[in-house]
Amino acid sequence: MMRLTRTRARVLAVTASLVAVALLVTLVVLRRDDFLGVVLSLLVVLLAMTTGVAVDAARHQPPPGPAPVPVQQPPGGLRGIDADTLETLDDPMMVAALRARLRDR
């Protein structure tokens, strides 16, 4: 799959919404109750969904500019705890033992 940039997502959203409105107007003017009317209404729904996804993609793109600075882990955090220890944290006794081990450092 191809990732949408903010500009391409906006262009896609505008294009899909304009085509959806044009098809909706065509559907209302023609008042078709046959297979063509069903196909036109399904196309309107598909284009409306495409518009919504493109707008959402444009909103969730990071703004252009410098990369954000990574946040440093605060001192005294979970240093020295490996994945096996984190898996055993469901047991209350293991949590107490871990806290005691961290306190003794």
Side-chain angles (χ1 to χ4, degrees), residues 18-105:
L18 289 176
V19 173
V21 168
L23 283 177
L24 185 63
V25 168
T26 304
L27 186 63
V28 169
V29 168
L30 291 180
R31 295 184 186 180
R32 305 277 306 223
D33 290 338
D34 56 353
F35 183 72
L36 182 62
V38 172
V39 170
L40 285 176
S41 60
L42 288 175
L43 282 174
V44 168
V45 170
L46 179 67
L47 287 169
M49 288 175 42
T50 303
T51 301
V53 169
V55 167
D56 189 50
R59 286 183 182 169
H60 284 88
Q61 290 290 327
V69 178
V71 178
Q72 298 291 330
Q73 184 177 7
L78 295 176
R79 290 178 288 155
I81 299 176
D82 57 350
D84 294 331
T85 306
L86 290 175
E87 287 181 9
T88 61
L89 288 179
D90 288 338
D91 186 16
M93 291 176 50
M94 292 302 292
V95 173
L98 177 65
R99 286 184 181 159
R101 189 176 89 182
L102 288 175
R103 240 182 291 137
D104 292 340
R105 285 187 181 188

